[in-house]
Amino acid sequence: MHQFIDGALRAGSSGETADVINPATGQVTATVELAGLEDLEAAVAAARAAFPGWSTTTPGARSAILQRFARILESRAEEFAQAESSQTGKPLRLCREFDVPGTIDNVDFFAGAARNLEGKAMAEYSGEHSSAIRREAIGVVGSIAPWNYPLQMAAWKILPAIAAGNTVVLKPAEITPLTSILFAQALSEAGLPDGVVNVVVGRGPTVGAALMQHPGVDMVSFTGSTGVGRTVLEAAAVNAKRVHLELGGKAPFVVFDDADVDAAVHGAVAGALINSGQDCTAATRAIVHRSLYEEFVAKVSARFDAIVLGVPEDESADIGALSSFKHRDHVSGMVERARGYARITAGGLAPTEGALAKGAFYRPTVVVDAAPDSEIVKNEVFGPVLTVLPFDSDEEAIALANDTVYGLAASAWTRSLTRALRATREIKAGCVWVNDHIPIISEMPHGGFKQSGFGKDMSAYSFEEYTQVKHVMFELGGVVEKDWHRTIFALR
C-alpha cells in the first residue's frame, strides 16, 4: 500500500504496478501499486477539506507539530537512511550524513519560521487610513518531486507549504517513492491533521499531468528538468495557477589565476560528484585560467580516477550508482558522443566486472578540449562528468560562466576580494559560492535564474511562494463626505 491519502495508507487503484529498483544492485526493493485518477481525486478532496481548519490553525500550533516531527525523524534516522539508500543506490554514508540530517534541520527551521511570517508595518500611509498586510495561505498545493533527492525534495515541497497553512498533494517520482510515504506517515504520527499532506504515487503523464491541471489545486510546485517544467507551465496556465519551478542547471566553476589550485581541485571533485553528479547545482563546467589549466586538469583527473564506487553498504565507497540503468545509458551516451570532438582524461566508462557490473554505475569522468558550444558543455548531463575549459581574461571567464540557458548555481575561486565581488555580482545564478561549491543551509534560499526556473525553496523566502499578500485598509475618521469622492461625483 503506497498511497497516503487523508491520513491513511491505501493501495493504488490504477491496476498497474511499478518496481522500485535499487540501481546499485539491480534488485527489486519494493513493488508499488500505482495511483489512478480516482486516487488523485480522493487526495485533492482530502486536501481541500483539510484546508479551512489547517489554514486557521495558529502558527504556534503548526510549529509544535513540526517540532514533534523533527524529533520523530531523529529517532528514526537510520530507517529513513536505509530506505533512501535502497531506492537510490546512494552510499549509506551520504544518506546518514547529508540527506537525513539536512531534512531534520529543514524541519527544525520551518518549525520556527511558521511563527514568523513577515509583512510591512501597519501605518497611516494615506494620512486618513491605516494600512496593514496579511499573509494568507494559498490553498491546495500540487507538488511534483524528482528522484535525485527523494527525501529532501519531499521536505522542500511540503514544509514551507504547510508551515504557511496550505495543504499538499505530493507526487514523488514513481521510481523513488518510499521515503516520501514514510515522511507523510511520520507527519501524521506527529499530530498533523488528516488530509493536510497526501502522497500519490503514479505515472507523470497521467496522475502528474492531472494534478497540474486539477481545478481543485490552487498552486503547482515542480522540481525537475527544464523540458518538463515548460509543460507544467502550460498545464497550470489553463486555470491560471500560481507556479513555482526549480529546474535544471549547468553550474560554472570559475578558477581565477590567483586561486589556490589544490583547494579548487578538492572543491571540484566534491562539487561535481556529490550524489554521483545527480544534482542540479553540481559543478559541471570548470572554467580555469590558462596559466593553471594543465595543472588543474592533471590533478582533478587523478582525483577522479581515485574515487571509489561501491554499493550502499560499502563504507569505503565514495559515490554510488546512478538512479537507473536508463539514466546511466543517457550519461554514457553523452560521453561517447563527446569522444568525437573532445578528450577524456579520466573515467569515461561503466564498470564491466565484479559486483559493480550489476548496478547502474558510471566512473567519474573529466572531459577537456570541448568547444564552449558543444553538447557536453551546453547540455545537462546529470551525472559524474566535469568539463574543463580554459580562459585568458576575467571578462572571458564571466562571459563563459553566463554562456548558458541555466542560472541555478555557480562558484568563483580567487584570493581577491575585488574579483570575488565582481563574480558574485555579474554571474547570473541564484547562488554564487566563493571558494566552495555545494553547501546549502536552511536559512538561505535555493532557486534559479533564467531557464533554471523561478521561486525559492528553503528559508523564509520560500513563504513568498506559498502565501498571498492581502492589503487591509481601515478608514480612520468616520468621515461621510471624503475629498476624493469629488473626483467621481459632484454634490448637488
Side-chain angles (χ1 to χ4, degrees), residues 6-25:
D6 204 15
L9 287 171
R10 59 188 273 180
S13 66
S14 70
E16 288 185 83
T17 61
D19 289 335
V20 177
I21 295 174
N22 185 336
T25 63

Side-chain angles (χ1 to χ4, degrees), residues 199-210:
V199 179
V200 290
V201 183
R203 304 283 187 198
T206 52
V207 172

Side-chain angles (χ1 to χ4, degrees), residues 391-414:
F391 72 88
D392 293 299
S393 68
D394 289 9
E395 289 72 22
E396 183 186 7
I398 300 295
L400 286 169
N402 287 329
D403 186 22
T404 174
V405 298
Y406 300 110
L408 187 58
S411 64
W413 297 75
T414 178

